[in-house]
Amino acid sequence: MSAPPLPDDVTADELDAEVRRDLRGLQKETAETVARHLVAAGSLVDDDPDEALAHARYARYRASRIASVREAAGIAAYHAGEWTEALGELRAARRMGGGPGHLAVMADIERALGRPERAIDLARGPESRELGRAEAIELAIVAAGARRDLGEVDAAVVGLQLPELDPANREPWSARLFYAYADNLAAAGREPEAVQWFVHAADADDAGETDAAVRLAELTGEPLPDDDVEFAEEDISADAGEQEPEDDPTADADADVDADAHADVADDAVVEQAPVGETPAGDDAEIEPVSDSPVTDAAVTDAAVTDAVVTDPAVVDADVMSDPRGTDGPAGR
């Protein structure tokens, strides 16, 4: 298996200390190579999941008997949407290392594979009791999504009524929990309550993990805050300078005067060209010669108008759920 190219600035020192200890059983050169590919996989997993998976697969190829390497390969496959591969790698990591590692990710993969019943079984299993609080809440969010997949919307709402469902809480998981609860309330037709919890989610979401503000706008019909685009003062001045000149009411009058003058000049020219001794009727006075002067019109050019494009950055999900709404997970991809 050929190795994907490694950037020169990727070093083994950047790898987590615990994972580096797991690599001590390898030859020094092999351990260095595996470590660098794991670092590359971790740095690319959000921006280029396919390339991250290539590095993780190579690390697995060189160190397939180390649990942390298999775990890294499973997470990379999960982010790349390779569900079956991800589930196999995470199961292997659990067999090798023990513990309930990444149980929420595995449940989410079961949903993605169209097996929500298995996701619920994982959430009910004895290993779920070994999870830390953050992992347990992520698993509850996934289980609620699985209930939704089965059409059990009310059960999904009840499953998220945890002690941590408190608007006063500001924990790393608060925004996602509030959002998931609001999303399920909306699915259950309880829109007033959903609006209230989307507000709580937006207030708690300092990291931009959810699209709570967008959901609020959809439910209430109010515009998004980003719709109010402010322009700099110099931009307004520049636009004013490019506007077409307004019609000058005196310009038409001047044009009429010029036209009358040309008409008089033309009549005088006819008089001067009459035969000697003949004078046009009605003109008794001697006519002074008038010299013609050309009249030029000023050209008017249209002002250029440029359209400003406003882009809104894409929100990347947290460790477990790829779907920004939190309850849909990869099954909604």
Side-chain angles (χ1 to χ4, degrees):
M1 183 177 185
S2 59
L6 279 168
D8 294 335
D9 58 348
V10 172
T11 65
D13 295 336
E14 301 173 64
L15 190 63
D16 180 77
E18 185 176 348
V19 179
R20 290 179 63 189
R21 283 195 296 270
D22 292 342
L23 301 180
R24 287 177 180 174
L26 302 173
Q27 293 183 357
K28 184 176 180 180
E29 182 179 349
T30 302
E32 178 83 9
T33 300
V34 170
R36 292 185 66 198
H37 281 284
L38 290 177
V39 170
S43 64
L44 292 169
V45 70
D46 291 327
D47 298 328
D48 192 349
D50 291 333
E51 185 66 17
L53 180 56
H55 286 284
R57 282 172 173 168
Y58 185 76
R60 177 195 179 279
Y61 171 73
R62 298 294 300 271
S64 62
R65 296 184 180 182
I66 296 178
S68 56
V69 174
R70 303 296 291 271
E71 179 181 324
I75 295 299
Y78 171 78
H79 281 274
E82 298 291 342
W83 314 126
T84 303
E85 179 181 353
L87 191 58
E89 293 296 332
L90 291 175
R91 283 174 175 170
R94 289 176 61 193
R95 286 195 304 270
M96 294 176 179
H102 297 289
L103 198 62
V105 175
M106 295 174 66
D108 208 26
I109 293 171
E110 294 288 7
R111 287 187 61 209
L113 293 172
R115 302 187 298 233
E117 299 90 347
R118 294 191 184 183
I120 294 172
D121 289 342
L122 284 172
R124 288 173 170 173
E127 292 177 329
S128 64
R129 292 191 287 271
E130 301 177 31
L131 296 172
R133 203 62 208 138
E135 293 83 3
I137 289 174
E138 289 293 344
L139 182 57
I141 292 173
V142 175
R147 293 287 187 189
R148 286 266 298 273
D149 295 341
L150 294 171
E152 302 172 2
V153 182
D154 291 334
V157 172
V158 173
L160 292 173
Q161 292 174 349
L162 307 171
E164 290 80 7
L165 191 69
D166 182 350
N169 281 350
R170 287 297 182 271
E171 300 292 344
W173 59 76
S174 295
R176 288 175 48 72
L177 178 60
F178 298 166
Y179 183 97
Y181 189 58
D183 188 38
N184 282 284
L185 286 170
R190 297 161 61 176
E191 288 193 1
E193 295 172 84
V195 169
Q196 180 182 3
W197 280 98
F198 276 129
V199 170
H200 295 324
D203 289 343
D205 192 8
D206 295 332
E209 290 183 292
T210 72
D211 64 344
V214 175
R215 298 298 301 280
L216 272 173
E218 292 174 353
L219 289 174
T220 63
E222 296 179 359
L224 289 171
D226 291 341
D227 290 345
D228 299 326
V229 180
E230 296 182 1
F231 296 95
E233 183 177 351
E234 55 269 22
D235 295 335
I236 298 175
S237 301
D239 291 340
E242 292 178 356
Q243 292 179 353
E244 294 184 3
E246 297 181 357
D247 293 337
D248 186 355
T250 61
D252 294 338
D254 293 341
D256 293 340
V257 172
D258 291 340
D260 292 341
H262 277 292
D264 293 341
V265 172
D267 292 342
D268 293 341
V270 172
V271 172
E272 289 180 345
Q273 292 174 4
V276 178
E278 297 183 9
T279 303
D283 292 327
D284 297 331
E286 183 178 357
I287 299 176
E288 295 290 336
V290 179
S291 61
D292 291 337
S293 59
V295 179
T296 61
D297 296 328
V300 180
T301 59
D302 291 331
V305 179
T306 60
D307 292 329
V309 179
V310 179
T311 60
D312 193 10
V315 174
V316 179
D317 244 351
D319 292 338
V320 176
M321 302 297 290
S322 299
D323 190 303
R325 296 189 174 184
T327 60
D328 290 340
R333 292 181 184 176

